Amino acid sequence: MKIILVIFLFISISISAQEVDLSYYLPKNTTYNQNIPTPKSVIGHEVGEWHITHDKLVEYMKVLAASSDRISIENRGTTYEDRPLLLLTITSPENHKNIENIRQKHIDATDDASIDISKNPIVVYQGFSIHGNEPSGSNAALAVAYYLAAAENIDELLNNVVILFDPSFNPDGLQRFAYWANTNRSKNINPDPNDREYSEIWPGGRTNHYQFDMNRDWLPVQLPESKARIASFHKWMPNILTDHHEMGSNASFFFQPGIPSRTNPLTPQMNQDLTKEIATYHAKALDKIGSLYYSEESFDDFYYGKGSTFPDINGGIGILFEQASSRGHAQETENGILTFPFTIRNQFTAALSTLEAAKNMRVKILQYQQDFYKEARNTGDKKAIVFGDEKDAAKSFLLAEVLKRHQIKIHELKADYTSNEKNFKKGYSYVVPMNQKNQRLVKAMFDVRKTFTDSLFYDVSAWTFNHAFGVDLDDNVSLSKVGDEITELKMKTGTITSKSDYGYLMPWNEFYAPKALNAILQKDIRVKVSMKNFKNGGNSYDYGTIFIPVQNQQLDASELHMFLEKIALESNVQIVGVATGLNEGIDLGSDNFSAITKPKVAMLVGDGITSYDSGEIWHLFDQRFDMHLTRLDMNYFTRTDIRKYTHIVVPNSNIDKAAIEKLKEWVQNGGVLVGYKNTAKWLASNNMILLDFENAKIDSVQNVSFENKDLQSGAQYIGGAIFEANVDRSHPINFGYKNDKLALFRNSTLFIKADKKSYNNPIQYTSNPLLSGYISKENSKLIKNTVPFKVQKLGRGKVIVFTDNTNFRAFWFGTNKLLMNTIFFGDKM
């Protein structure tokens, strides 16, 4: 009878979302503490009647914590939009009285295999809706939290489990989507998929403020939401972490394990075995309410930067839930009318089945975590890795900062040394001993893998951190090079060497040099850039060195010195005061020092533009370099006067003819256009740049069944791999790079043939370019000696294209400067 009722709710259009009450979600035959407020009594509507806004979600969680001795609450920080990042700790009142001791004993057991874990509570981290427009998770969190606070027959569960409860992984995205769904909701719920309610406006609610997919940031940890949850993770080291998502409306419900052949080889088999055992609890619970589900047929456990895989390299078990999405309040699907309350109920059910599994499998899972770290300690290599950049302390620091967030021990370099023609300098390099607790995580971060058992990837196939951050690496170093442990990480302080009455030199190698240069130009200070190498006062200076003359400035010599001193400090760069313009090589008055124009940069956004790419560029300008970036929406672009902009950036896009013609005229009048990925194709097809593309010829494969016919084409997709290119450091696009090779991230199959003139190929893939990750044999033939960058003149302006994203997910620091070079030096290319 219960199954019939559930199916009726799922397929019947006559039952609208607002008619469902709390009892629909809660287990039957359970009594509830009447002193615990229900969600409706606080937020003003039933769970699932409206989409919960983050402010109301926060309000209810605070009221619940104040009403129940089972719950404590903390605010771990704020999002970019200043929304709180809440975490509830839910367990028995007795456990709460001893919570810090419980936490410490839990951590101690991972450090000492002799500790008896049989009586310890298991720790479960439950997180909801990291994608804001997958809202059934956070809406289910209302009912789950109420149940855990009010249910009167769950003492055994609460005594044996400590629940870290994160009701919204993505507050900004959740708020954005709830606004959309609620403002487009009809009184009579309309399930027609063509209704406006089910089609969000750009950029949608999936991402956070800067349009990042935060379920890819668990490993890089670049966003405030990620920093908060990673701190909580390492503070507690949970045994299970659940990540509640949604997928296409015509699907059912998915729980892990994922596809077995797509599990990262660094993940122990026991992890997958336990995941599969936990899955039996989900199946049983969903069977009970008659919900369809599946497992092991989708998704993978390869990239450790996702919530469902990050625990797997940290001694825990990550579990992904994917619920078919109503994308609003109810929607027609292949399975009938899918209502929002139905999606919430499935998430609620999976949340409780996880806790039931954790309670029943407690000792087994605790033992697995203890064994994981015992084995890690026993197999830890008696060596270290060293990373750094002798000319860029900031990039090295930024990578060290990520390691510290993951509680990885890092040390100073005892003394300078050289290896494989790379100089590792004390103060610019860091040492990571591999004989430490988190050495498996270190291996995952620096992992190089070129062979795979499966050729299809749900996410990237490579993320090797030394390549991502653009630093040199020595991965087989004696522990004799290990200096003092760094307990408090500090970035190298920016300085100015001395006051000068002649001029100042600022090397372009440091990561934050663009931030400093922009501040200087915004002050209307005249600046030039070196087009050649030179020496001054015994110091060597590379291509791209910035020269600030003292004379004929709006500031006098003293004011200029004080201003540059402030900029050096704020931007963590080194500025050198010089006493003479006489150099070895070009002199400071040479025509080979070219004047830099103050840029005014715009970027196209909106329909037709990939929001991830535009968000990453926006974040780079706004957060990293404190630079203004005007975002021009495609809805009004053709009506906008763009003559005042010196540069326009066009992320991966597909825009209309009118916009193209407007941009062409602007470039011909002197503008610099920077296009990414698919933008290169439409620029070429509209005669704004001449490009010759290589096209893959997929080899025919014999004896492929109908069932597997999609695998051949799917294997040609480059989901994200790393490739090596030769660089011409004399070209302005490569100013600031000290090596003659560069690691580039690529997730496209856009291949551009090299020019016959070598100087027109300042960045060119090598003949064997794969550094890490998957590429098909067909594409590996094509990519050899192609170019990921092109620049050509059009009228008085320049058109610049990149085949791939130089700003990937906010952690590909190694190629950020390529974009900045187009902004400051694009007219010189």
Side-chain angles (χ1 to χ4, degrees), residues 495-506 536-537 539 541 547-548 550 561 564 574-580 588:
T495 60
I496 187 166
T497 58
S498 60
K499 180 178 178 296
S500 173
D501 292 323
Y502 191 89
Y504 297 90
L505 295 172
M506 182 178 73
N536 180 287
N539 296 319
Y541 293 92
F547 172 49
I548 306 123
V550 172
H561 174 257
L564 293 178
Q574 313 301 311
I575 298 177
V576 180
V578 297
T580 178
L588 296 185

Side-chain angles (χ1 to χ4, degrees), residues 704-711:
V704 177
S705 68
F706 180 83
E707 177 186 17
N708 295 321
K709 65 185 176 67
D710 293 333
L711 297 182

Side-chain angles (χ1 to χ4, degrees), residues 349-369:
T349 301
L352 264 57
S353 63
T354 300
L355 297 177
E356 181 70 11
K359 174 174 68 71
N360 293 343
M361 297 171 62
R362 177 180 61 85
V363 176
K364 184 186 299 187
I365 294 174
L366 285 170
Q367 189 64 59
Y368 164 71
Q369 184 184 55

Side-chain angles (χ1 to χ4, degrees), residues 115-139:
I115 291 177
D116 179 13
I117 48 82
S118 63
K119 293 186 172 63
N120 290 358
I122 190 171
V123 180
V124 179
Y125 193 130
Q126 295 190 296
F128 301 90
S129 299
I130 202 164
H131 297 141
N133 62 357
E134 299 177 2
S136 57
S138 284
N139 282 267

Side-chain angles (χ1 to χ4, degrees), residues 17-208:
Q18 60 265 40
E19 293 174 342
V20 175
D21 63 26
L22 190 60
S23 64
Y24 171 63
Y25 308 105
L26 301 176
K28 311 307 178 190
N29 303 317
T30 300
T31 57
Y32 296 89
N33 184 341
Q34 298 302 305
N35 294 320
I36 302 298
T38 64
K40 183 178 181 180
S41 69
V42 176
I43 65 176
H45 62 81
E46 290 288 2
V47 174
E49 181 181 357
W50 295 89
H51 281 253
I52 190 68
T53 57
H54 188 259
D55 54 333
K56 287 188 174 182
L57 182 64
V58 168
E59 182 184 6
Y60 181 64
M61 295 301 159
K62 288 181 176 179
V63 169
L64 208 55
S67 305
S68 172
D69 57 2
R70 299 174 177 178
I71 299 177
S72 63
I73 192 169
E74 60 178 306
N75 180 6
R76 301 165 296 169
T78 58
T79 68
Y80 283 120
E81 295 177 11
D82 284 335
R83 291 191 173 86
L85 295 164
L86 298 184
L87 183 72
L88 282 65
T89 301
I90 306 176
T91 190
S92 67
E94 292 74 18
N95 284 344
H96 267 297
K97 294 174 184 176
N98 197 31
I99 196 67
E100 179 54 26
N101 187 46
I102 290 173
R103 186 194 70 80
Q104 191 58 57
K105 285 179 66 177
H106 181 75
I107 299 299
D108 289 345
T110 65
D111 294 320
D112 184 350
S114 68
I115 291 177
D116 179 13
I117 48 82
S118 63
K119 293 186 172 63
N120 290 358
I122 190 171
V123 180
V124 179
Y125 193 130
Q126 295 190 296
F128 301 90
S129 299
I130 202 164
H131 297 141
N133 62 357
E134 299 177 2
S136 57
S138 284
N139 282 267
L142 292 164
V144 176
Y146 170 77
Y147 171 82
L148 293 173
E152 293 185 325
N153 59 343
I154 60 170
D155 289 348
E156 184 184 1
L157 170 67
L158 295 175
N159 286 332
N160 287 283
V161 184
V162 173
I163 304 159
L164 307 176
F165 196 84
D166 197 328
S168 174
F169 273 148
N170 181 3
D172 295 346
L174 183 73
Q175 186 79 10
R176 192 158 65 244
F177 180 74
Y179 166 80
W180 176 262
N182 290 338
T183 56
N184 285 285
R185 175 186 184 274
S186 301
K187 181 186 76 171
N188 299 295
I189 303 299
N190 183 358
D192 186 342
N194 294 323
D195 189 77
R196 190 169 189 261
E197 179 179 351
Y198 309 110
S199 182
E200 298 171 79
I201 58 172
W202 191 95
R206 178 181 176 88
T207 54
N208 76 339

Side-chain angles (χ1 to χ4, degrees), residues 292-333:
L292 301 176
Y293 56 83
Y294 70 101
S295 186
E296 296 189 277
E297 296 177 41
S298 296
F299 307 101
D300 60 49
D301 286 335
F302 191 81
Y303 172 51
Y304 287 123
K306 299 184 297 181
S308 58
T309 46
F310 177 76
D312 298 344
I313 197 63
N314 287 281
I317 300 166
I319 299 177
L320 170 69
F321 296 123
E322 292 275 357
Q323 163 62 46
S325 179
S326 64
R327 290 288 183 239
H329 291 86
Q331 191 171 162
E332 296 168 1
T333 75

